[in-house]
Amino acid sequence: MKKNIIKYTLLLIVLLISSILYLSLVGIDTEKFNNQIREKVTEVNNSLEIELKKIKLTLDPFNFKINAKTIGANILYKGKNLELEYIKTKISLISLIKGVFVSSSLELSTRSILLKDLVTFIKASTNVSELFILERAIKKGQVIANIELNFDEKGEIKQDYKISGYLIDGKIGLLKKYNFEKINFFLDVKDNIFNFKDLKFRTNKTNFFSKNLKITKNKKNFLFEGDIQNQNSNIDYELLKLLNLNFENFNFLNTNLSSKNEFLFNIDNELRIKNLDIISEIKVNNSEYLKPILLNDYFPDVNDLINFKDHKIQIKYKNDGLTLKGSGKIKLENNYDEIDYKITNNKNIFNLDSKINLSELKLRSQEFLKPFFSKINKTTDLKNQQIEINYNKDNLSIKGSGKIKLENEFDELDFSILKTQDKYNFNFKSNLENTSLNIDFLNFNKKDKSKIQLNVIGSYNDKNELNFNKINIIEKNNKIKLENFILDKDNLIIKVDKVDLDYFDTEDKKNQLLLIRKKKNNYHVSGALFNANKLIDSLLNSKQDSDPKIFRGDLTLSLNFDEVNIDEKNIVKNLKGKFLFRDNEVFNADISALFEPKGNLVFTVSTNDSGEKITSFNSSRAKPIVDRYKFIKGFEEGNLDFYSSKKNNISNSVLIIDNFKVQEVPALAKLLSLASLQGIADLLTGEGIRFTDFEMSFSKNKDLMTINELYAIGPSISLLIEGYIQSNNLISLRGTLVPATTINRTIASIPLIGDLLIGKKVGEGVFGVSFKIKGPSGDLKTTVNPIKTLTPRFITRTLEKIQIN
C-alpha cells in the first residue's frame, strides 16, 4: 500500500511537472477567453473593436500568471483597421481558477501600419488627449510599433505604458505653411516622454538629421529638446520665419550651409512655437544679405546683395534675442575680403559690430568737402582699409585706416564717422601728398607733392550746419589751426572761437595772425604779418549785387597788425582799427596804418540814424590802389582821397588823385600830347604823361553809374568827361581834350572840342572813337579810326575796374 502511495505520488508529480513544462513550453490554444478580452477592450474605449483568433496560453509558474498570445488580430477604431502582428497579455492564475479574466498587462505588436492609425489608437487607449495635435498633423508614414500597457487591480490602465517602434517615410504638417517629410526614426515612449533616435527628415527642400530628440508632454505644452544637424543644405528665408527669425534687417537669402544645433522650445495647443532656445555652430558655404537702405546714403557702389562665403558662425538665440558671431569672406563690390562680426538682435533692435580687411570700397563724397578739396571725385575710393563698422538702431559708426583717393592717387588716412540720430561726427587724420588742398579765404594752396598732416574733427547736423571742432593743417613751413569753426547751410560763418595762422600763401608771403572770439560776436585779430593783397583784390573786384557774404549775424572785429602787405611791393605798418558788421556789410569802421618812410592810410565808415553810410579812404600812396587796374601802365606817385555817401542803394562819390603820372595811356591821348612841348619831352624821356590833379564825381544806382564830372589836369594835356555807364550794356561818355600848348601858333589858342562816344558797332564787335577838330577857317583835321585794340571786353573790364563805391 505504502509503495502504491509513493508510486502514485511520484506519478502525480511527474504528471504535474510534465503539465507545467508543457504549459510553460508549449501551451494550449483556446477561444474561451476571446469574449472576455473583447469586453475588456470595450471597457477601455467603446469605439474600439477587436478581432481575435485562437489564443495561445502558456504558464508562467514563477509569477503564478498565464501568458496569453494571439497572432494576426485586428483592432478597429471607427472603421479603421489596425493590423496586429500579435497581442500578448498576462492573466492572473488565481483569476482563471475563479473563472474570471483579470489581465495585469497587455502588449501589442503591429505589422507595418499607417502612422496616423497608430496615433489614433494610442490616443484612444491611453486617453492622452494632447495627441490630437499629432493626429491632425500626420499626413503620411508607415510604422511598426510595440505597445505595452499595464493594468491595476481594478483592471484600469496604468500611466506607465511603453511604446517603441520604427517610422518609415513619414510626413507631418505641423504648421500651416511648413511640412516635414521623408521622416525616418526609431521611437521609444515612456512616462509621457518621446525619445527619437536616428531621426531624419526634410523640410523646405532641406535635409536634417538628429541623433537624439526628446519630446516631453507637460500640462499644456509639448517640450522639444535635442540636436539637429544638416550638411550642405539650402536654407531659405521661409525656414528662418519658421524659427521666428524673421527679424527686421535680418535679410539673409539663398543660404547654403552645414550646421549643428542644440535646441529647446515649446509648442502649445495652438501650434505656436514658444521659448525657443538655440545654440548653433554653422558653416556657411554661400549666402546673400539684402543691403540695408541706410547704406545707400554712404556706399553707392555696394552690391544690392552682399555675398558671404566660407563663414564659421556661432549663434545663440533665446527669449527673442539673437547673438551671432562669425568670420569669413565678404564681397561688397568686386572682391572678397576677410571679415569678423558680431550681430545681436533683441526685440527688433539690430546691432552690428564688424571688422573687415577691405581691399576696396567707394564712399559717396560729401558736399561740405568741396570748398577744401576742389578736385574731389564724386566718390571717394578706399583701399586696403582696416575698417570697423558698428550699427545700433539708427546709429552708425565707421572707423578705418588705410589708403584713400580723393582725386587721382592714393594717400594715407585714418578716419571715423559716427551717425547719431540726425547728427554726423567725423574725425579725419591724413598725410596728404597726392591730393590738392585749397583754402580760398586764406589764399592758401598746398604745394604739389608736399606732405601735409591734416586732422579734421567736426560734426554735421540735420540743419546743414557744419562744425569743425578742430582743424589742424601742418606743412613744412606752414601751420593753420582752427577751433570751433561753424558754418551754416549757406557756408556763412556762425562763429569761430580761434584761428591760429603761420603760413606762406600762394604769393609766397608770410602770414602770422591770431583770431580770438572774445565774446558772443566780438572778435580780435592780431599778428606780426598779414598779406592782404588778395583780400583787397576781392573787395575791389566784387560787384554790389554779389558782395561776398561771410558771417551770419552781426559782429565786431578789432585789428592789430605789425605789418600788412597791401600789394606785392607796398607794406603798411602798425595797422589798427575796428569794424562793425551788420548783415554782412560794414556799418562802422575806423582803420589806420603807416607807410614807410612816411605817409599814412586811413579808412573810415560811419552810418547815421537815417541809414546814410559815409565812407572815406585816404592814402598817401595812390599807386597800390591804381596799379590794380591793369589798363593803366606805369602809374607813379600820387595821393588818393575817396569820399562816398550812400543811402537807399544810391551812392554819391568823389575820387581825387593828386600829383601822379602814367607812362601808357590810350593812343588818342598820346597823339594829342604831342601838341605840347612838355608832352613831347615827357614821352621822349619815358617819364610818362604827368597829371597834377584827377577828380571824378559820380553816383551809382544799381547797375547805372553816372559820371557827373571827371577831369584830369596836366602840363601837357587836360581831360574833361561826363556821361554814364550801364553795366554790361552801354558806355556813353562826352568830353573835351585840351593840349596846353601847340607847335602851330595859328591854333594855339583854339580849344579842341570833340565828342567821344564809345559803343558797340553792330556786327563788327569793335569800338570806335570819333573826334572832329574845328577852327576859324573850318575843319582842320578829322580822325575816324576804329581802335581795334580796344575790344568790347577790354573797355567793359576797364570801366568796371573804376567802379569804387
Side-chain angles (χ1 to χ4, degrees):
M1 182 69 181
K2 185 176 180 181
K3 291 182 178 179
N4 289 333
I5 294 172
I6 295 172
K7 177 180 178 181
Y8 287 114
T9 301
L10 291 174
L11 180 62
L12 180 61
I13 292 173
V14 170
L15 290 175
L16 180 61
I17 292 173
S18 298
S19 299
I20 292 173
L21 290 175
Y22 179 82
L23 292 174
S24 299
L25 298 176
V26 179
I28 59 175
D29 295 328
T30 181
E31 295 181 355
K32 180 178 180 181
F33 301 106
N34 286 10
N35 290 332
Q36 290 178 310
I37 293 175
R38 292 190 188 98
E39 291 175 358
K40 192 68 176 178
V41 171
T42 303
E43 289 178 5
V44 173
N45 191 309
N46 56 15
S47 296
L48 292 175
E49 297 181 11
I50 188 168
E51 294 179 353
L52 297 173
K53 297 181 179 180
K54 288 184 178 181
I55 299 175
K56 187 170 186 177
L57 301 177
T58 57
L59 178 65
D60 183 0
F62 300 103
N63 294 311
F64 296 99
K65 292 184 179 181
I66 298 295
N67 294 323
K69 180 178 180 181
T70 181
I71 297 175
N74 293 321
I75 294 179
L76 290 86
Y77 178 74
K78 295 184 177 180
K80 294 183 178 180
N81 185 24
L82 181 65
E83 295 183 1
L84 303 179
E85 183 67 28
Y86 66 85
I87 299 177
K88 292 172 65 176
T89 187
K90 293 182 182 292
I91 305 170
S92 171
L93 187 60
I94 297 174
S95 67
L96 284 179
I97 294 173
K98 294 180 179 181
V100 179
F101 181 85
V102 177
S103 175
S104 62
S105 66
L106 179 66
E107 180 179 344
L108 306 177
S109 179
T110 71
R111 295 178 180 177
S112 180
I113 58 174
L114 294 177
L115 174 63
K116 192 178 187 71
D117 292 343
L118 175 62
V119 172
T120 299
F121 171 74
I122 295 174
K123 179 173 75 72
S125 60
T126 61
N127 294 317
V128 181
S129 59
E130 289 82 359
L131 288 176
F132 83 95
I133 298 174
L134 187 59
E135 181 184 19
R136 290 170 52 191
I138 293 173
K139 307 298 181 182
K140 181 182 177 183
Q142 296 287 324
V143 66
I144 298 174
N146 291 326
I147 303 173
E148 296 181 16
L149 304 176
N150 294 316
F151 302 94
D152 59 18
E153 295 177 354
K154 297 180 180 181
E156 301 291 337
I157 297 177
K158 296 181 180 181
Q159 293 299 314
D160 59 350
Y161 58 86
K162 296 180 181 180
I163 301 173
S164 62
Y166 179 71
L167 175 66
I168 301 174
D169 196 23
K171 181 176 181 181
I172 298 176
L174 188 60
L175 301 175
K176 292 183 179 179
K177 296 182 179 179
Y178 311 102
N179 292 322
F180 296 86
E181 56 188 6
K182 296 186 178 180
I183 305 172
N184 296 274
F185 59 78
F186 291 99
L187 173 66
D188 287 318
V189 181
K190 183 178 180 182
D191 297 330
N192 290 330
I193 298 175
F194 298 75
N195 279 308
F196 295 84
K197 302 292 185 181
D198 297 327
L199 170 65
K200 299 178 182 179
F201 66 92
R202 179 181 178 88
T203 181
N204 289 71
K205 301 179 181 180
T206 302
N207 294 318
F208 294 93
F209 63 93
S210 173
K211 293 181 179 180
N212 181 46
L213 169 64
K214 183 168 71 173
I215 302 175
T216 304
K217 172 187 168 296
N218 295 322
K219 292 181 179 180
K220 295 182 179 180
N221 299 319
F222 284 92
L223 174 63
F224 287 72
E225 56 183 323
D227 68 84
I228 189 169
Q229 303 178 43
N230 70 289
Q231 295 290 334
N232 299 326
S233 303
N234 293 320
I235 309 296
D236 60 17
Y237 187 63
E238 293 299 320
L239 183 58
L240 297 179
K241 290 175 66 177
L242 169 64
L243 300 176
N244 281 349
L245 296 180
N246 55 328
F247 301 121
E248 184 180 357
N249 296 318
F250 197 77
N251 300 321
F252 284 98
L253 307 173
N254 304 320
T255 301
N256 180 273
L257 57 82
S258 300
S259 69
K260 182 178 181 181
N261 312 275
E262 296 179 1
F263 58 86
L264 179 69
F265 63 91
N266 296 97
I267 293 182
D268 62 16
N269 292 332
E270 296 180 0
L271 303 181
R272 292 179 301 187
I273 296 177
K274 292 184 176 182
N275 303 321
L276 180 61
D277 188 350
I278 300 176
I279 298 177
S280 300
E281 294 181 0
I282 300 174
K283 181 180 178 182
V284 177
N285 302 312
N286 293 287
S287 184
E288 295 175 333
Y289 180 74
L290 186 62
K291 178 176 68 173
I293 296 176
L294 174 67
L295 295 184
N296 291 327
D297 297 333
Y298 308 97
F299 308 106
D301 288 358
V302 168
N303 302 322
D304 291 335
L305 291 176
I306 299 172
N307 295 101
F308 291 82
K309 185 172 73 172
D310 299 334
H311 280 246
K312 294 182 179 180
I313 302 172
Q314 292 181 337
I315 295 178
K316 292 183 179 180
Y317 176 79
K318 187 174 183 179
N319 298 328
D320 294 331
L322 171 73
T323 300
L324 183 152
K325 294 181 180 180
S327 62
K329 296 180 179 180
I330 183 174
K331 184 168 75 171
L332 298 174
E333 294 183 1
N334 299 313
N335 301 320
Y336 279 98
D337 298 305
E338 298 293 332
I339 184 174
D340 296 327
Y341 49 89
K342 178 181 179 181
I343 296 173
T344 61
N345 197 323
N346 189 6
K347 297 180 180 179
N348 285 333
I349 297 177
F350 182 82
N351 298 305
L352 168 66
D353 297 313
S354 175
K355 294 181 180 180
I356 181 172
N357 298 321
L358 193 65
S359 61
E360 61 172 357
L361 185 66
K362 285 183 170 56
L363 178 68
R364 190 185 304 278
S365 299
Q366 300 299 313
E367 287 294 323
F368 67 81
L369 294 176
K370 288 187 177 180
F372 309 100
F373 303 98
S374 58
K375 299 179 182 179
I376 190 172
N377 302 323
K378 291 183 179 180
T379 57
T380 298
D381 291 357
L382 302 178
K383 179 181 178 182
N384 298 333
Q385 290 277 344
Q386 305 290 323
I387 292 182
E388 296 182 15
I389 300 176
N390 300 287
Y391 176 76
N392 181 3
K393 202 174 181 180
D394 292 328
N395 300 329
L396 175 68
S397 172
I398 305 173
K399 297 180 181 180
S401 61
K403 295 183 179 296
I404 183 173
K405 184 172 71 173
L406 297 174
E407 296 176 4
N408 298 318
E409 297 184 41
F410 284 94
D411 285 311
E412 298 295 329
L413 171 70
D414 293 336
F415 71 94
S416 67
I417 300 173
L418 174 63
K419 178 185 180 293
T420 304
Q421 295 181 349
D422 295 321
K423 183 179 181 180
Y424 299 82
N425 295 296
F426 52 85
N427 187 344
F428 293 91
K429 294 181 181 179
S430 179
N431 292 320
L432 296 180
E433 183 176 2
N434 302 308
T435 304
S436 60
L437 173 65
N438 54 280
I439 307 176
D440 190 61
F441 64 90
L442 294 179
N443 194 25
F444 174 81
N445 283 340
K446 171 186 168 295
K447 295 179 180 179
D448 290 342
K449 297 303 178 181
S450 68
K451 289 185 178 181
I452 278 186
Q453 295 178 13
L454 173 66
N455 184 203
V456 180
I457 301 174
S459 62
Y460 184 72
N461 59 34
D462 60 341
K463 297 179 181 179
N464 295 323
E465 291 180 345
L466 182 59
N467 180 8
F468 294 99
N469 301 104
K470 182 173 74 172
I471 300 177
N472 286 345
I473 301 172
I474 308 298
E475 203 177 14
K476 183 177 181 180
N477 296 315
N478 298 311
K479 177 185 72 175
I480 298 174
K481 294 184 176 182
L482 290 84
E483 294 181 8
N484 293 329
F485 180 49
I486 304 177
L487 302 174
D488 68 7
K489 63 180 180 180
D490 298 317
N491 288 325
L492 298 180
I493 299 174
I494 299 175
K495 75 166 187 174
V496 54
D497 285 346
K498 183 179 179 180
V499 179
D500 187 4
L501 305 178
D502 187 355
Y503 70 98
F504 287 88
D505 60 23
T506 58
E507 300 171 28
D508 203 28
K509 298 291 184 181
K510 184 73 170 178
N511 292 267
Q512 290 180 327
L513 64 88
L514 179 66
L515 180 147
I516 299 291
R517 187 169 72 98
K518 297 292 186 180
K519 295 180 181 179
K520 182 177 180 181
N521 286 315
N522 193 332
Y523 294 86
H524 179 71
V525 184
S526 61
L529 300 168
F530 179 62
N531 181 17
N533 188 22
K534 184 172 181 179
L535 176 62
I536 295 173
D537 258 346
S538 299
L539 293 174
L540 291 177
N541 292 330
S542 65
K543 298 181 181 179
Q544 184 175 357
D545 59 355
S546 61
D547 286 340
K549 294 183 178 181
I550 300 175
F551 281 88
R552 188 179 78 180
D554 302 337
L555 64 97
T556 300
L557 184 65
S558 300
L559 305 177
N560 187 359
F561 287 100
D562 296 338
E563 190 174 293
V564 176
N565 291 82
I566 58 176
D567 65 8
E568 295 181 357
K569 298 180 180 179
N570 292 276
I571 297 174
V572 296
K573 295 191 175 183
N574 198 26
L575 187 147
K576 296 181 179 180
K578 180 180 290 187
F579 283 98
L580 174 60
F581 292 90
R582 289 186 180 176
D583 296 328
N584 278 283
E585 291 187 1
V586 178
F587 190 78
N588 287 318
D590 187 2
I591 307 296
S592 63
L594 299 175
F595 288 105
E596 285 191 350
K598 62 179 180 178
N600 64 349
L601 180 150
V602 178
F603 174 75
T604 64
V605 176
S606 61
T607 305
N608 57 33
D609 294 338
S610 64
E612 182 182 16
K613 181 184 293 185
I614 307 299
T615 303
S616 67
F617 178 72
N618 307 105
S619 176
S620 300
R621 296 182 187 178
K623 180 178 175 60
I625 303 301
V626 178
D627 274 355
R628 296 180 184 278
Y629 304 105
K630 305 303 181 184
F631 68 96
I632 300 177
K633 303 294 184 180
F635 184 93
E636 297 293 341
E637 304 174 8
N639 303 316
L640 185 147
D641 290 313
F642 174 77
Y643 173 89
S644 176
S645 172
K646 182 178 180 181
K647 186 176 182 180
N648 298 327
N649 290 323
I650 299 175
S651 63
N652 293 289
S653 307
V654 176
L655 173 64
I656 300 174
I657 305 176
D658 295 328
N659 299 319
F660 66 96
K661 61 183 178 181
V662 293
Q663 289 183 351
E664 294 184 24
V665 294
L668 179 62
K670 281 189 175 183
L671 178 65
L672 293 177
S673 70
L674 293 175
S676 165
L677 292 175
Q678 180 63 47
I680 294 173
D682 289 342
L683 291 174
L684 290 176
T685 59
E687 290 292 325
I689 302 173
R690 182 176 297 277
F691 292 90
T692 59
D693 299 278
F694 173 90
E695 182 172 337
M696 181 172 69
S697 174
F698 62 95
S699 62
K700 197 161 187 287
N701 184 3
K702 296 183 179 179
D703 293 333
L704 177 63
M705 179 179 179
T706 302
I707 300 177
N708 302 316
E709 184 179 58
L710 183 155
Y711 68 85
I713 301 174
S716 60
I717 187 172
S718 297
L719 174 66
L720 178 64
I721 292 176
E722 64 179 17
Y724 64 88
I725 301 171
Q726 184 73 41
S727 179
N728 299 322
N729 188 14
L730 179 64
I731 304 169
S732 179
L733 302 174
R734 178 184 178 85
T736 302
L737 288 167
V738 182
T741 59
T742 180
I743 298 174
N744 190 340
R745 293 180 178 274
T746 305
I747 60 171
S749 61
I750 301 175
L752 301 181
I753 304 172
D755 296 332
L756 174 61
L757 177 64
I758 303 177
K760 187 175 181 180
K761 286 187 177 181
V762 178
E764 294 185 19
V766 297
F767 284 85
V769 178
S770 175
F771 263 84
K772 184 178 288 186
I773 304 173
K774 295 180 180 293
S777 59
D779 295 342
L780 298 180
K781 186 176 182 181
T782 301
T783 61
V784 180
N785 293 319
I787 304 175
K788 296 182 181 295
T789 57
L790 301 181
T791 63
R793 181 166 177 250
F794 179 85
I795 295 295
T796 300
R797 288 172 58 86
T798 296
L799 292 170
E800 284 179 351
K801 294 287 185 181
I802 62 173
Q803 294 177 17
I804 303 175
N805 297 326

